Structures are given as structure tokens and as C-alpha cells.
């Protein structure tokens, strides 16, 4: 009884100290100079541009992730091929590598002095320090999410249902759409939400390849750091509330998915 | 319908042959059982017939036509899986309707006709009022019958049954055996049953093919197999099961 109370108190204290307080502090500080100052700060053109860039990046990155995550999970779950285990490990690399190192790697390969970037330079194609660079590194850091969520569900659902659909005359596409996809819908949505949250919040990798051109290649996390370093504290925290709100939206979505997702193994 | 399996061989990843030069001919409307211990190749042979596994060598001839390269869906063979493989997210009626729903638009019957067909099949398996249920809400025997109805919905030329009774308790198994045989006769379709249980094989099938290490040892009726076993394996296997 005693132990239970202590554990609950510890958990609560930890959550308040390390999760609730910091988030609350962002909002308190952002509104310290009144709502007018907050509105002025978040409607400032540079901040608006940063919001736009961040959302645009997520809108490009997440669909690409869904397609490739599905393809990778499908290949790993359904086929035995040389390099399958390597692929399984390789796809986890972005989780293991520090994002800033990932950014540097991309710069080395795709930058103007790298093998790929250098080859494209004469054609007038620049990959780094613009939207392309930001999208590329965001893809890198978010690529495991969809695959990791989908793979277990795909492995559990097994091949029998797909084989049954084939013998009943379904085409490959019909098998995927009518049989496979419904079995992995929720893990897929879940993975997409996690990838979105990460794409929106990514700082380290993006900071290396963005080039930090104000109003053009600054994503929201970069913009917040910039404002903060300029001693523009109110604006920095106001922008931070926008990012926090975007994150909260994904959290709420996650909660909704958890609530309406039918219990694993059961049928609606 | 006549099906001829000619000199079919198959091995996986260069390992020892799972099927070794298997040949077999089926008669019109016949119920044939593939009987053998696990690892004898009987399920692989069924998958080859279904079009789910490609043989390395050999041919499948259906009514004089070579169907070796024809893909599973185009063969129109109804298959009942050991796990039943019902679509979990679809109701019983939607499961049965699946084979009609995926037909190309030009061949697909209108919705009313499909519904009537589904009702007819559900009545046939005596589950007329359970069409709205989901597979998770059914008993093992009911799931097995739905899998049968789903396979029959495509008016199959041949019915393939992979250990369809193995997940059921003894009592249900007995009664379902009879009803599967009855259904098969009523529909007038030839069937291949894979089983490791000789009581089941002899109870349900017209002829039984005894398989061992990728080969068919002997094909015949219960009498023929018991009176004149073609090999020591057949004799010992039948004796062991009877005891």
C-alpha cells in the first residue's frame, strides 16, 4: 500500500517537474507581455515563413515516408531475399545516429563539394541550403517510424489471408487494398503521426543543411533558436508555443487513434 | 473436370526435394485425399495445384489445357486453409462475397444478384442469419463452414482443402466431415483434401493418395491400400494409424 503511494507520488512529481512545468513555462513566458505581443510575434513575416516551411516539409516528408515505409515493411515481412537482415538493421540507423551527424553526412555527400552535389553543380542543381536539403535530411531522420509500426502488424497478419484472396481471384492491387491495408491501417496512421511529430520538431540535422537564410530556409525550430539568440525572448517563446501546439495536435491525434483503434487481435 | 498432375517436382532454396516427380490424375467429381506424415509434401502439392507455389518441373493439365503458368486467381480453384484465413475485418457475408466482388467489372454480377448468391450459400452452410457477424464472433466449426462457403462462391472447378478439420475438437470434426462431403456432392465439384489423419481420409474420400518424402507411394481406395500395400511404408503407416 505504502509502496504504491510512493510510486504514484514519484511518477506524478517526475511528470510535473520534467514535462508539465517546462511546457507551462513556455506558454507563461510567451504571454508575459500580453496576447497582443504574442499575436504580433507569431504573425511576424519571418516566423510565418518558418511555420509555412515547417508544415510544407512535413507535408512532403510524411507521404514519402508512408510509401517507402510500407514498401520496406512489406518486403521484409513477405519475402526472403539476400540483404533482408541488413535492410532491417540499416533502416534503424537514423535512430542510432545523432541528427547533427546525419546532417553533416548529407552535406558531405550532397553539398557542392561532395560527389553527388558536385556532379549536379554544373547542371545548376543545388541540393543543400534549400527546401530540398531540409526535406532530404527530414526524410532520413523520420524514415524508421512507419516501417517500425507496420512491420509487426504485417508479420502477425500473416500470408494466409492474402493467399486466400489470391485464390478467390483478386489481383495484387486488390489484395493490398482490400485485405492487407485494412489489417495495418492503425499502425500505419500511428507511424505517420510519429513521423509528422519528428519532422516538425527536427533541429540538429536541419540546422546543418538549412543554410539559415532568414525568411527562406528557417524552419520553426531554427527560427526559435535564432530569435532566442537575438535576445528576442518574447518572440522566441511565442514561436515556441506554435511548435508546441503543433506537437500537441499530433499528441491528440495519437490519443484519438489509441481510443478508436480496435483492440489488437479483436474485430470491430 | 479432369485434372492431371504430371511429373511435378519442387525444392525450396536448393534443399532436398519437397516434391519428387509426383504424378496423379483426378476423375470427374472425385473426392481425393492426400494422406501422409508431416513433411511428406502433401501441403506443397496442394499449393502447387492452387497456383500459390511454382513447381520447378512438371505440368498441370486441366481439361486438356496446360495451366502450369496460370496464376492462382485465374484457375478458379476454391481453397479452404488450415487457419481458414477468413478476412478478419469483413463480416461473414462480405467474406463469402469476396470472390464475386473482385471480379472484373464486365463479369461481376449486379449487387442484388451477388447478395442472393451469398444468402443462398449461407443457407447451404446453415448460417443464414449470421451474415452480419465477424469471424472473431464465430466458433471454430462456424469459421470452417464460412471458409467453405467463401471457396464455393466462385463456383470453383476444384475444391482444395488443407487440413480443414485439424483446429476443431473431435466431436465437431466428426459432424463437419459429413457435412463437407455432403456439400461437395451437392455442388458436384471435385475436391482434394490434405490430411495426416487416415480415419478422416478414408471416411471422406473416394480415393486416397499416400505420400512420403515428396513422392506418392500409392493411390487407391481403403480396400486396395489395406489389402495390397505397394510398399512397406504404406503398410506400416496404415497399421500405425489404425492401432
Amino acid at each position: 500500500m505504502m509502496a504504491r503511494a510512493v510510486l504514484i507520488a514519484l511518477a506524478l512529481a517526475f511528470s510535473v517537474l520534467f514535462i508539465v512545468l517546462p511546457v507551462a513555462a513556455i506558454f507563461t513566458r510567451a504571454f508575459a507581455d500580453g496576447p497582443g505581443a504574442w499575436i504580433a510575434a507569431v504573425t511576424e513575416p519571418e516566423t510565418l515563413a518558418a511555420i509555412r516551411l515547417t508544415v510544407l516539409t512535413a507535408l512532403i516528408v510524411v507521404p514519402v515516408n508512408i510509401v517507402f515505409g510500407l514498401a520496406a515493411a512489406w518486403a521484409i515481412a513477405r519475402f526472403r531475399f539476400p540483404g533482408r537482415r541488413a535492410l532491417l538493421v540499416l533502416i534503424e540507423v537514423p535512430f542510432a545516429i545523432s541528427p547533427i551527424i546525419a546532417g553533416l553526412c548529407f552535406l558531405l555527400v550532397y553539398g557542392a563539394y561532395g560527389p553527388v552535389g558536385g556532379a549536379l553543380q554544373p547542371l545548376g542543381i543545388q541540393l543543400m541550403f534549400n527546401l530540398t536539403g531540409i526535406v532530404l535530411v527530414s526524410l532520413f531522420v523520420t524514415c524508421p517510424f512507419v516501417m517500425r509500426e507496420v512491420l509487426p502488424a504485417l508479420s502477425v497478419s500473416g500470408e494466409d489471408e492474402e493467399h486466400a484472396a489470391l485464390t478467390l481471384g483478386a489481383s495484387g492491387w486488390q489484395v493490398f487494398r482490400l485485405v492487407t491495408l485494412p489489417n495495418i491501417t492503425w499502425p500505419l496512421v500511428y507511424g505517420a503521426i510519429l513521423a509528422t511529430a519528428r519532422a516538425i520538431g527536427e533541429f540538429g540535422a536541419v540546422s546543418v543543411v538549412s543554410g539559415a537564410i532568414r525568411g527562406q530556409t528557417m524552419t520553426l525550430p531554427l527560427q526559435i533558436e535564432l530569435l532566442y539568440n537575438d535576445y528576442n525572448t518574447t518572440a522566441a517563446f511565442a514561436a515556441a508555443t506554435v511548435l508546441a501546439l503543433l506537437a500537441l495536435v499530433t499528441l491528440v491525434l495519437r490519443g484519438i487513434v489509441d481510443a478508436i483503434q480496435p483492440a489488437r487481435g479483436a474485430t470491430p | 473436370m479432369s485434372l492431371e498432375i504430371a511429373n511435378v517436382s519442387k525444392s525450396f532454396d536448393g534443399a532436398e526435394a519437397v516434391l519428387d516427380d509426383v504424378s496423379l490424375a483426378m476423375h470427374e467429381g472425385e473426392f481425393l485425399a492426400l494422406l501422409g506424415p508431416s513433411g511428406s509434401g502433401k501441403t506443397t502439392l496442394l499449393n502447387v495445384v492452387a497456383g500459390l507455389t511454382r513447381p520447378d518441373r512438371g505440368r498441370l493439365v486441366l481439361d486438356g489445357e496446360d495451366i502450369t503458368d496460370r496464376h492462382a486467381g485465374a484457375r478458379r480453384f476454391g481453397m479452404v486453409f488450415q487457419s481458414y484465413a477468413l478476412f478478419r475485418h469483413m463480416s461473414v457475408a462480405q467474406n463469402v462475397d469476396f470472390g464475386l466482388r473482385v471480379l472484373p467489372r464486365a463479369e461481376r454480377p449486379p449487387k442484388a444478384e451477388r447478395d442472393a448468391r451469398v444468402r443462398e450459400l449461407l443457407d447451404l452452410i446453415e448460417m443464414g442469419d449470421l451474415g452480419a457477424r465477424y469471424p472473431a464472433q464465430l466458433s471454430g466449426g462456424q469459421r470452417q463452414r464460412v471458409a467453405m462457403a467463401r471457396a464455393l462462391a466462385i463456383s470453383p472447378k476444384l475444391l482444395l482443402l488443407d487440413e480443414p478439420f485439424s483446429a476443431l475438437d473431435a466431436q465437431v470434426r466428426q459432424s463437419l466431415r459429413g457435412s463437407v462431403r455432403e456439400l461437395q456432392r451437392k455442388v458436384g465439384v471435385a475436391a482434394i483434401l490434405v490430411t495426416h489423419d487416415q480415419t478422416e481420409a478414408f471416411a471422406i474420400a473416394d480415393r486416397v493418395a499416400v505420400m512420403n518424402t515428396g513422392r506418392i507411394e500409392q493411390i487407391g481406395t481403403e480396400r486396395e491400400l489395406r489389402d495390397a500395400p505397394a510398399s512397406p511404408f504404406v503398410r506400416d503407416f496404415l497399421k500405425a494409424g489404425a492401432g
Side-chain angles (χ1 to χ4, degrees):
Chain A
M1 221 36 213
M2 186 64 192
R4 203 172 95 178
V6 170
L7 278 178
I8 292 174
L10 268 177
L12 275 178
F14 186 87
S15 316
V16 169
L17 276 175
F18 290 94
I19 300 171
V20 178
L21 267 184
V23 175
I26 295 173
F27 283 88
T28 339
R29 186 60 191 80
F31 287 98
D33 299 339
W38 183 84
I39 292 171
V42 297
T43 53
E44 204 265 328
E46 271 185 26
T47 305
L48 278 182
I51 295 173
R52 215 176 298 127
L53 181 60
T54 302
V55 172
L56 178 64
T57 304
L59 284 179
I60 299 172
V61 166
V62 175
V64 175
N65 247 315
I66 289 176
V67 172
F68 281 96
L70 267 180
W74 177 281
I76 290 171
R78 291 288 180 265
F79 303 107
R80 299 286 171 270
F81 53 91
R84 176 176 169 273
R85 294 182 76 86
L87 182 61
L88 205 52
V89 175
L90 211 61
I91 213 152
E92 302 263 327
V93 163
F95 276 169
I97 289 185
S98 162
I100 197 141
I101 295 172
L104 286 171
C105 295
F106 269 77
L107 204 54
L108 275 176
V109 177
Y110 298 104
Y113 300 104
V116 178
L120 291 174
Q121 182 94 331
L123 306 172
I125 300 171
Q126 187 192 340
L127 295 180
M128 292 293 114
F129 310 126
N130 53 25
L131 178 65
T132 323
I134 294 170
V135 167
L136 284 178
V137 292
S138 301
L139 275 175
F140 178 82
V141 296
T142 57
C143 88
F145 287 105
V146 171
M147 197 283 278
R148 272 175 63 118
E149 292 297 322
V150 170
L151 183 57
L154 211 49
S155 307
V156 168
S157 74
E159 279 183 293
D160 274 0
E161 285 182 48
E162 289 163 13
H163 281 162
L166 279 178
T167 63
L168 291 166
S171 65
W173 170 243
Q174 283 174 321
V175 173
F176 177 74
R177 191 168 55 87
L178 301 174
V179 177
T180 312
L181 200 55
N183 279 337
I184 56 169
T185 305
W186 293 116
L188 185 62
V189 171
Y190 206 82
I193 289 172
L194 290 178
T196 309
R198 182 68 196 264
I200 289 171
E202 178 54 30
F203 178 84
V206 171
S207 75
V208 178
V209 301
S210 102
I213 307 166
R214 284 176 179 240
Q216 281 182 42
T217 65
M218 296 298 277
T219 63
L220 203 41
L222 299 183
Q223 181 71 17
I224 292 167
E225 199 220 13
L226 185 81
L227 291 169
Y228 187 75
N229 288 344
D230 284 350
Y231 299 103
N232 198 344
T233 323
T234 306
F237 278 98
T241 57
V242 176
L243 192 57
L245 281 176
L246 284 175
L248 282 177
V249 168
T250 59
L251 265 185
V252 169
L253 279 178
R254 215 185 109 162
I256 294 174
V257 167
D258 273 343
I260 58 176
Q261 168 179 20
R264 275 169 211 276
T267 312
Chain B
M1 194 287 326
S2 81
L3 175 76
E4 197 193 333
I5 301 169
N7 310 104
V8 164
S9 294
K10 174 75 189 174
S11 63
F12 291 105
D13 303 328
E16 205 177 324
V18 183
L19 291 176
D20 185 8
D21 198 29
V22 172
S23 296
L24 147 77
M26 277 191 75
H27 311 313
E28 180 82 40
E30 181 182 30
F31 204 123
L32 181 85
L34 301 177
L35 173 68
S38 58
S40 57
K42 50 197 192 309
T43 294
T44 306
L45 182 57
L46 196 74
N47 282 332
V48 167
V49 174
L52 296 173
T53 301
R54 261 194 82 85
D56 297 333
R57 275 186 308 281
R59 296 192 311 142
L60 293 173
V61 181
L62 179 74
D63 295 328
E65 212 180 323
D66 189 328
I67 59 158
T68 319
D69 293 322
R70 197 181 286 179
H71 67 85
R75 295 185 186 192
R76 316 292 304 158
F77 293 168
M79 185 151 177
V80 175
F81 291 77
Q82 186 168 10
S83 64
Y84 312 136
L86 296 180
F87 306 126
R88 281 170 289 167
H89 59 285
M90 294 184 203
S91 69
V92 165
Q94 286 168 332
N95 263 281
V96 176
D97 180 51
F98 188 87
L100 304 171
R101 176 181 174 192
V102 296
L103 282 172
R105 200 177 294 276
E107 299 165 37
R108 197 187 311 151
K111 187 83 178 84
E113 211 172 293
R114 274 161 56 197
D115 288 345
R117 175 98 177 108
V118 169
R119 258 198 311 279
E120 184 189 319
L121 283 158
L122 289 179
D123 286 337
L124 194 67
I125 58 167
E126 288 158 13
M127 285 179 58
D129 43 2
L130 299 180
R133 292 269 184 95
Y134 282 86
Q137 300 167 308
L138 303 177
S139 72
Q142 288 173 325
R143 282 179 211 175
Q144 201 269 350
R145 274 144 60 201
V146 173
M148 275 291 283
R150 184 178 67 177
L152 289 173
I154 60 171
S155 307
K157 294 180 181 144
L158 177 64
L159 198 54
L160 306 172
L161 310 163
D162 185 8
E163 301 264 11
F165 310 111
S166 64
L168 303 168
D169 59 61
Q171 217 172 353
V172 182
R173 203 182 303 165
Q174 289 267 339
S175 75
L176 269 183
R177 229 185 253 161
S179 69
V180 163
R181 180 74 226 225
E182 197 184 313
L183 265 178
Q184 180 260 345
R185 281 226 182 86
K186 216 183 275 178
V187 180
V189 63
I192 303 180
L193 167 81
V194 160
T195 181
H196 61 272
D197 177 349
Q198 54 173 286
T199 322
E200 183 172 300
F202 291 131
I204 205 169
D206 300 312
R207 283 194 306 158
V208 173
V210 180
M211 289 189 74
N212 182 34
T213 59
R215 310 177 70 91
I216 292 182
E217 299 265 338
Q218 190 176 2
I219 306 179
T221 61
E222 177 167 20
R223 260 294 49 87
E224 290 163 2
L225 293 173
R226 288 205 192 280
D227 290 351
S231 69
F233 174 81
V234 173
R235 191 190 58 220
D236 296 343
F237 184 71
L238 295 187
K239 205 176 281 172

